Amino acid sequence: IAKEKGSLNVVSDQIGCPTNADDLAEHLLRLYQTKQYGLYHCTGMGQCSWYDFACAIVKILNIPCKVTPCTSDDYKTKASRPHYSVLSNQKIKHVIPYTMLPWEERLENFLIKELNLS
């Protein structure tokens, strides 16, 4: 959409933890191998809004696009989304080595790998 339209309106008041699926799978496998049971959160390191995430993607991919922040009220969807969905990884850190990279670094690595930008 950024390439097609040249501008995006992206929600800036919903904060979460971007998590790479490969990293999550690796951590879940490590957890499984411990035979520890319970409820664990396992998210990428750091937090950002959808707006921050979109800005990072546009910058990494060098897409000429104006990204404008908006509120959840301005961007209507059928699904209700929490404004703050950051989870604590403290419990899992006591059971396995937690080696998640900061979301910005992981995003850049992913985009370069997936889009063959190296």
Side-chain angles (χ1 to χ4, degrees):
I1 294 172
K3 285 181 182 179
E4 292 171 13
K5 293 187 176 182
S7 67
L8 295 172
N9 291 331
V10 184
V11 175
S12 62
D13 62 355
Q14 294 177 18
I15 309 298
C17 300
T19 306
N20 179 275
D22 290 341
D23 291 345
L24 177 60
E26 179 183 326
H27 282 71
L28 291 177
L29 181 59
R30 286 183 197 167
L31 182 61
Y32 170 76
Q33 292 169 339
T34 68
K35 305 297 183 202
Q36 296 288 323
Y37 299 97
L39 178 64
Y40 297 87
H41 298 298
C42 187
T43 65
M45 188 185 305
Q47 62 187 38
C48 69
S49 69
W50 286 108
Y51 169 77
D52 299 325
F53 198 61
C55 287
I57 292 169
V58 166
K59 181 179 179 184
I60 292 165
L61 298 179
N62 199 27
I63 299 172
C65 178
K66 179 181 180 189
V67 184
T68 305
C70 68
T71 67
S72 297
D73 289 337
D74 295 333
Y75 194 87
K76 299 291 183 193
T77 62
K78 290 181 181 180
S80 176
R81 308 256 189 242
H83 286 281
Y84 191 77
S85 57
V86 174
L87 303 172
S88 170
N89 293 307
Q90 289 306 312
K91 185 174 176 182
I92 200 167
K93 288 178 180 181
H94 293 290
V95 179
I96 62 170
Y98 176 82
T99 57
M100 293 282 198
L101 295 173
W103 70 266
E104 301 95 335
E105 186 177 340
R106 196 59 179 104
L107 175 64
E108 186 168 4
N109 293 346
F110 171 78
L111 290 173
I112 289 171
K113 176 183 169 188
E114 291 300 311
L115 301 175
N116 297 314
L117 298 176
S118 53

